[in-house]
Every structure is written in structure tokens, then in C-alpha cells.
Amino acid sequence: LVSMTGILLGWKKQLNLLPDTHSVSTQNLLWLPIDSIQNSAVISAVNSGLVKPPAIIDRIDIRPEKGIAKITFKKSFVEIQINGYTGDVMSSGARYSDIIEKIHDGSILDFMEMIVINR
């Protein structure tokens, strides 16, 4: 199991297990405050039904050269990409590689426990 998931993780980009990273024009614009980006992501995730409330953010990956912030949530395998200058949602999608990674390192058990306890 560890070997198979390791191979999948090594090939995650070639197997399209991650959503494509979008980019926006970054000409002389100022980024929104992080709390505005967070709010935009949470509202979008809840309104679209991708995440059940309360939507707890796990990680924000800022890509200044692309003008994008990638937001992932604790109780799901969803990623939302937000335009860092306007707060608009650029895309949302499943992060299948995160599921495989949790299986690979055994943290899927902790994840399942968190889901069951926090229902």
C-alpha cells in the first residue's frame, strides 16, 4: 500500500491528481488582505456545497507570481483558488493527491477520527 501510494504521489501531476493552477494579470496591483481572501474562500466553499459549515481553513498557499491564493479546508479534500487582487473565485476542485498522501502516511486514520468526532 505504501509503495503504490508513493508511486501515485510521485506521478500526481502527470495523473492530474491536483487541480490546475490558474494565473491572473499581476500588473501594479495590490493584494487584498488575507482575511478578505479567507472570507471569499469560505463563503464560496459553503455556498457551493463543497464544505459544510463551519468551514475551517487548513492551509493558504500564496502564489504571488500567479496572483493566486490556494485555500484548502480541514474536513475536506477541496481546494479553492482565489484571485489575490479581486477576491474572485478562479476555480474549485478536489485534491485527490491529498487523499493519497493521507493513506500513504497513515494520517487518514486521524482524519477519519476527526470527521467522526466533530459531526
Side-chain angles (χ1 to χ4, degrees), residues 42-118:
V42 168
I43 290 168
S44 174
V46 171
N47 287 346
S48 64
L50 294 172
V51 177
K52 293 181 183 177
I56 301 169
I57 292 177
D58 181 44
R59 184 174 62 234
I60 301 175
D61 180 11
I62 303 288
R63 303 283 177 104
E65 71 282 355
K66 294 187 180 269
I68 294 292
K70 294 180 172 187
I71 293 94
T72 58
F73 297 89
K74 283 198 181 267
K75 295 183 184 178
S76 72
F77 296 105
V78 172
E79 171 186 282
I80 293 185
Q81 295 183 32
I82 301 289
N83 182 323
Y85 303 105
T86 66
D88 295 335
V89 175
M90 302 303 295
S91 73
S92 60
R95 290 184 54 96
Y96 299 110
S97 66
D98 288 357
I99 300 167
I100 295 167
E101 184 177 331
K102 287 191 181 306
I103 293 168
H104 179 74
D105 66 13
S107 63
I108 192 73
L109 299 174
D110 294 333
F111 180 79
M112 298 302 286
E113 180 182 15
M114 178 183 66
I115 296 298
V116 170
I117 290 174
N118 293 322

